[in-house]
Amino acid sequence: MKKQVKTDKAPKADHILSQALISGSTIYVAGQVHVKPDNSLVEGSTADKMKQIMNNIEEILKAAGSSLNDVAKVVIYVTDMATMPELNEVYPSYFSEPYPVREAVCVSSLPLGASIEISVIAEAK
């Protein structure tokens, strides 16, 4: 059985989407871009964008009764692979060892004009 996760502390999902779903003992968090809960895009450095994205993910996980410590897999989408060195500098500050498995994919565009999108899969408690 699936359970939908919702929080007002992260951007709302479109009416046909979910911020996250819990299925069994797994939480699937939808891709988050660097927008605030009011859907205003965060500009600035990669670190600034990552901070907003990870805050969104953390709030969604919290609403699901979990945390970043329970993340097993991370998928990162970027519109420019040149972003990756700066992203790799701040990425470890959000996780602890053993680090989650990760994929990084370059795409031509992302929702709302964002340049980074991240989704995670975490263990439900």
Side-chain angles (χ1 to χ4, degrees):
M1 183 161 94
K2 296 182 292 186
K3 177 183 173 191
Q4 188 178 40
V5 178
K6 291 182 181 182
T7 180
D8 291 334
K9 295 181 179 179
K12 289 180 177 33
D14 192 316
H15 68 284
I16 61 168
L17 305 173
S18 298
Q19 288 174 318
L21 287 177
I22 301 173
S23 180
S25 62
T26 306
I27 304 167
Y28 300 90
V29 178
Q32 298 296 306
V33 296
H34 42 96
V35 295
K36 297 176 186 175
D38 66 3
N39 279 336
S40 62
L41 193 65
V42 171
E43 299 289 352
S45 69
T46 297
D48 294 336
K49 294 173 183 179
M50 281 287 293
K51 182 177 180 181
Q52 186 61 53
I53 292 167
M54 297 308 293
N55 183 64
N56 294 343
I57 290 170
E58 191 169 32
E59 290 296 342
I60 293 167
L61 288 171
K62 196 181 300 181
S66 191
S67 72
L68 290 173
N69 291 331
D70 299 308
V71 173
K73 183 173 183 178
V74 177
V75 180
I76 301 172
Y77 299 93
V78 295
T79 57
D80 183 355
M81 288 303 269
T83 305
M84 291 306 294
E86 187 178 357
L87 190 147
N88 284 333
E89 284 181 29
V90 297
Y91 178 86
S93 66
Y94 295 101
F95 300 103
S96 57
E97 292 189 34
Y99 294 112
V101 297
R102 187 180 97 177
E103 297 171 12
V105 181
C106 189
V107 297
S108 63
S109 65
L110 290 167
L112 304 173
S115 59
I116 304 169
E117 179 175 1
I118 299 177
S119 66
V120 302
I121 299 172
E123 182 180 0
K125 294 182 179 180

